[in-house]
Amino acid sequence: MTEVETAWAAATGIAMATEKAAKELSPEEERVLIRDIALTAEANTKEGDSFFLITQKWWQHWIDYVNQDQQPNNSNNNEGSSSLSGNSDSNGVGISKRPSGIDNSDLISDGPAEDANSDDGVEIHDTLLEGRDYVLLPQQVWNLLYSWYGGGPALSRKVINSGLSQTEFAVEVYPLRLQLLVTPKGDRSTIRISKKETIGELHRRACEIFHLNLEQVCIWDYYGHRKHALMNDMDKTLDDANIQMDQDILVEVLNNVNDTVVTDGTSIIDNGFADKEATSVLLEPSKSSLSIAGGLSANKIASKGYSAEQLQNQTLGYPSKESDNNFGNSGVSTRGTFGGLTGLLNLGNTCFMNSAIQCLVHTPEFARYFREDYHQEINWQNPLGMVGELALAFGELLRKLWAPGRTPVAPRPFKAKLARFAPQFSGYNQHDSQELLAFLLDGLHEDLNRVKHKPYVNSRDADGRPDEEVADEYWANHIARNDSIIVDVCQGQYKSTLVCPVCNKVSVTFDPFMYLSLPLQFATTRSMTITIFTCDGSALPSTCTITVPKQGRYRDLIQAVSNACSLKQTEEIKLVEIRNHLIHRFLDDSFVSLSTIKDDDHLAAYKIQKSAKGNVLLQLIHRRQEQETSDAQRWKPFGTPLVSSLSCDDVIRSGVIQTIVQTMLTPLLKEGIEYSDDSDPSTSGMARDPSDHGSGEVDTNRASTSINKVLPKLPLQLVDESKTCIDLSAGDEKAINLSAMSHVVVYLDWKSKLLEKYNINYLENLPEVFKYGPITKKARTEPLSLYTCLEAFLREEPLVPEDMWYCPQCKEQRQASKKLDLWRLPEVLVIHLKRFSYSRSMKHKVETFVNFPIHDFDLTNYVADKRSSRSQLYELYALTNHYGGMGSGHYTAHIKLLDENKWYNFDDSHISPINEEDVKSAAAYVLFYRRAKSDTSGTSSAGSRRARDKTSYKH
């Protein structure tokens, strides 16, 4: 049974034993029990598990109740109010009464349940936010709280797979709400169904609701009241079918078995729901043209037999009034009197979207492009794109924002398209504006890719060829497959050099980039605190702080520790991470990155004799008794384990292990305590000279001080390969077979009498690798240059273990060193400041002020290709800001109208002028730079760059 399974079994047993006596539990006992069950349940979460919503108000009351006996926590902890770790309320005072029954009524919508056949028959409000309105609890936690407090109603939600790789778990708080429309009857019904349910289940439920036979029903994706696709793949999930919240589903009843279902997007039946005008357009495409909003879903039509020419013919025309009166064809005007100062309404946590859109809309190259006739460049057949729908929606929104007048625009049509093609941005939760920006740039590129049929290209290895030749070849191959306004404006190229740490194989590639994500790093080094233990009894444990390269490897840390402790030639260092008083892992792979060691980890280093063939490591785990109940005690690990090297044949005597452990503990013996051989034979015995134990591994210069002294005989238990405990204190001659053991684990049970003889405080309070203090926090708020961030991005560093490189020479996955160099810069350089970081125990936002240049951002010295005579100076024209903490906060944009040479703050629908000196702040998140136009370079456009790329870089 694993440690997690054991903990879960123990927690479950305690829960069952306490359910009937809930009122007898103290607040502290409730807190600890719920905490342990919650941690175990979340660690074992899998698809299909149930989580329960519980109102934040009641949960906070319970948190205050169970934490009332705890000491006040640091007032700077923003998450203390909802913690199970023992934090008190924000004031640290007061006594909270025991909560009454659970009351989820404030989560419940006043309207009737959408679907009478749903699991709970209860509909919750549409605008609830986790952490503000509710928390999610594992089923085991809910069951226990409900057994104690009662109330309700129970609001159960399922765990589903999410993310691009479908390997992440998420709780589906809001299952899909779908409007079922029956034709030709005209009946309607609203249902709730998980997006992970199959089309077959939707089919079955529709027939059940409307009392229909499965054989005579077909259902359609009826997005926008148009038939997009016949949903006849019964095993396909609704998520894979791209069905969205509040979407219409058409349930078509065939009156006769021989009725024909038309699958070209039209219907020969007057169903009462279809738009008559749209239907006529579908039936007679040559006589009508569609608006740029795109009434038809091009991606569905393209797969149903329409040719590219037909699609283009259908969408060439603009509404004449809009084209003639508002925009014209004379280029972009950035005068505030004509346009560019129109805000976007916040639809509910959509500031992340609004800020990113405004920056793109105010990029002059994009503003000019999307106000002209770009439809001839839409790639209707690109399977990687959205068949023009995203480009059409963005183009229409851009036109509205550049139209005369300042009435804020509600971006609902654009958000609907966004949710359809990027479900991760559906709903009304806050998201990362940089992630949205990355999706938009990539999606617009694929929609507008001029390459209709991508040729196969085979990129050759550099093989010693000049970088210039290889770089031009890679770029030509890239342009042959990717050619759009986005590539023209935003894409650059960097050189990537990988070096195998084993065979020193060098691999050079030249890859395109859309933006640069720069780390916010102050220094190239990192301080790490480690506690050093000796195994020969020669010294007490000591703590040292060493400095290592920030992007170094384990070998750098091991070398630094070896130097710090004056390691002898006959010794070596074993470095480990300690968790829960046990050795969690050995840090023995020299090539692993130091970034895998977090600041809140606890590290120990053991000086041992160099291992010979056949040696094994002995791990000494300390245990002491802790009171669990009034009449039960349990041995639990404490302190820091000790490690020694054990040289032996297949069999070793128990007395040898006893001597090795006594030697390791010798420095901890209290001074002034006399030991005699008339003490309890179960707790004492005569120690032999440690140099005579036969291992050859414990070299003690202090042997003369302990020989002939009667040392306490230690209550040791060895765990063999069959997980059986062997008592080593019964006799010195017991033979232990170690032939099948890679390491030896020995438990030392510290009884009260034994504790009196040793200073065990040296084994406790292992320090963190790095602990922030007041001085450090102050230093972290000092300004950081954007150039420093760029240098950190370009610095050589090892790959993370999750991103290993396959070395073609070793034929193995290797953690190679990677070095980036800028090779070709785009017209518009987008820079993302990586303010958000994640560790095992926390989420963190870096509030550092980055001193970024507004004018003359000079990248000349950072471009490796020295052939180009073009200016590498850039000017800032837009940026997004993020105010607040993780998972919340607010986004705005600062944008410069170039013709006016004036900066404005775009805060959703509110726009106000600002001074240039106010553009810089610690909230800056994504920066937009344009290449400065020099007298020699003239006014080169993205088009001329594209022409140059196609001629100069092809071979």
Side-chain angles (χ1 to χ4, degrees), residues 2 4 64 95 146 354 375 478 556 580 630 665 717 792 829:
T2 65
V4 171
D64 294 340
I95 298 177
Y146 183 76
N354 293 348
H375 293 73
H478 176 66
D556 301 309
N580 301 321
S630 58
L665 296 177
Q717 294 188 64
L829 179 62

Side-chain angles (χ1 to χ4, degrees), residues 493-497 794 819-824 862 864:
Q493 186 184 34
Y494 59 72
K495 174 185 176 183
S496 175
T497 305
L794 298 176
K819 174 72 172 70
L820 295 178
D821 293 289
L822 298 179
W823 189 265
R824 179 182 280 109
Y862 297 93

Side-chain angles (χ1 to χ4, degrees), residues 176-181 191 193-207 214-224 226-245 247-252 254 261-265 300 303-304 420:
L176 291 175
R177 179 172 50 205
L178 303 179
Q179 318 294 328
L180 302 182
L181 312 176
I191 68 166
I193 185 171
S194 171
K195 63 181 180 182
K196 293 300 181 181
E197 287 288 6
T198 62
I199 291 175
E201 175 61 15
L202 175 62
H203 198 191
R204 185 195 67 77
R205 289 181 61 176
C207 291
L214 290 170
E215 296 78 11
Q216 291 189 320
V217 171
C218 58
I219 55 177
W220 295 83
D221 177 349
Y222 204 50
Y223 180 79
R226 286 180 171 82
K227 289 183 176 180
H228 286 285
L230 178 64
M231 300 171 65
N232 56 1
D233 186 348
M234 297 303 171
D235 295 327
K236 193 174 188 179
T237 67
L238 300 179
D239 191 22
D240 292 337
N242 212 4
I243 302 301
Q244 299 298 314
M245 181 71 74
Q247 185 172 320
D248 292 331
I249 299 294
L250 184 64
V251 180
E252 187 171 20
L254 305 177
V261 179
V262 182
T263 59
D264 62 352
K300 303 298 181 184
S303 64
K304 297 183 175 95
R420 183 166 178 80

Side-chain angles (χ1 to χ4, degrees), residues 396-408:
E396 182 173 357
L397 182 58
L398 180 145
R399 286 167 170 262
K400 290 179 179 178
L401 292 175
W402 277 102
R406 298 192 181 182
T407 302

Side-chain angles (χ1 to χ4, degrees), residues 640-652:
T640 306
L642 298 179
V643 172
S644 180
S645 180
L646 190 62
S647 176
C648 62
D649 296 321
D650 290 344
V651 177
I652 191 171

Side-chain angles (χ1 to χ4, degrees), residues 78-137:
N78 294 327
E79 297 179 357
S81 62
S82 60
S83 173
L84 287 173
S85 60
N87 300 324
S88 64
D89 63 16
S90 57
N91 298 319
V93 296
I95 298 177
S96 178
K97 293 183 179 180
R98 190 174 191 271
S100 56
I102 299 170
D103 183 8
N104 281 334
S105 59
D106 57 342
L107 304 180
I108 308 302
S109 175
D110 296 332
E114 304 283 347
D115 180 10
N117 298 314
S118 63
D119 292 339
D120 49 36
V122 178
E123 187 72 12
I124 62 175
H125 291 293
D126 284 341
T127 57
L128 300 179
L129 289 179
E130 184 180 2
R132 184 194 71 182
D133 303 308
Y134 67 88
V135 295
L136 288 166
L137 303 178

Side-chain angles (χ1 to χ4, degrees), residues 560-796:
V561 173
S562 301
N563 295 338
C565 67
S566 302
L567 198 69
K568 301 175 184 177
Q569 288 188 349
T570 58
E571 296 175 326
E572 64 177 339
I573 287 290
K574 287 294 182 181
L575 199 61
V576 304
E577 179 189 348
I578 305 297
R579 283 194 202 173
N580 301 321
H581 312 293
L582 301 173
I583 294 178
H584 175 65
R585 57 171 174 153
F586 282 85
L587 310 182
D588 51 5
D589 188 339
S590 301
F591 302 112
V592 175
S593 170
L594 289 177
S595 62
T596 60
I597 302 175
K598 308 304 179 185
D599 286 343
D600 55 355
D601 287 344
H602 301 266
L603 300 187
Y606 303 98
K607 290 174 61 176
I608 63 175
Q609 293 297 306
K610 282 187 177 178
S611 297
K613 186 176 181 181
N615 285 8
V616 295
L617 290 179
L618 183 150
Q619 300 180 27
L620 180 65
I621 311 298
H622 309 281
R623 299 194 301 188
R624 62 185 169 193
Q625 284 185 317
E626 292 187 8
Q627 199 78 22
E628 282 199 339
T629 62
S630 58
D631 58 349
Q633 291 183 328
R634 181 182 177 186
W635 289 99
K636 288 188 176 180
F638 79 99
T640 306
L642 298 179
V643 172
S644 180
S645 180
L646 190 62
S647 176
C648 62
D649 296 321
D650 290 344
V651 177
I652 191 171
R653 301 295 176 183
S654 58
V656 174
I657 298 178
Q658 182 80 222
T659 303
I660 292 175
V661 174
Q662 287 174 333
T663 301
M664 287 193 291
L665 296 177
T666 299
L668 307 182
L669 281 169
K670 290 182 179 180
E671 297 293 336
I673 296 181
E674 296 294 333
Y675 304 99
S676 62
D677 57 4
D678 60 354
S679 56
D680 185 349
S682 66
T683 60
S684 67
M686 182 70 73
R688 292 176 288 184
D689 185 341
S691 62
D692 294 335
H693 62 66
S695 72
E697 297 301 322
V698 177
D699 177 20
T700 171
N701 296 322
R702 301 181 58 194
S704 60
T705 65
S706 43
I707 297 176
N708 299 325
K709 178 186 287 187
V710 178
L711 299 179
K713 191 161 186 179
L714 304 172
L716 303 178
Q717 294 188 64
L718 182 144
V719 181
D720 65 13
E721 67 277 6
S722 62
K723 308 301 181 184
T724 302
C725 288
I726 302 174
D727 187 359
L728 301 181
S729 60
D732 292 343
E733 299 304 318
K734 181 180 291 187
I736 311 296
N737 187 358
L738 302 180
S739 59
M741 301 174 66
S742 59
H743 62 276
V744 178
V745 176
V746 175
Y747 290 102
L748 171 54
D749 293 336
W750 291 83
K751 296 182 180 179
S752 56
K753 288 185 178 181
L754 190 61
L755 289 170
E756 295 173 358
K757 297 178 174 62
Y758 289 87
N759 290 312
I760 63 168
N761 56 302
Y762 288 105
L763 299 176
E764 299 185 290
N765 303 317
L766 198 66
E768 295 180 353
V769 168
F770 186 81
K771 190 170 184 64
Y772 294 115
I775 296 177
T776 305
K777 287 185 177 179
K778 182 177 180 181
R780 285 164 61 96
T781 62
E782 295 176 357
L784 177 65
S785 166
L786 185 61
Y787 290 104
T788 303
C789 299
L790 179 60
E791 289 163 5
F793 172 75
L794 298 176
R795 188 177 299 120
E796 181 179 356

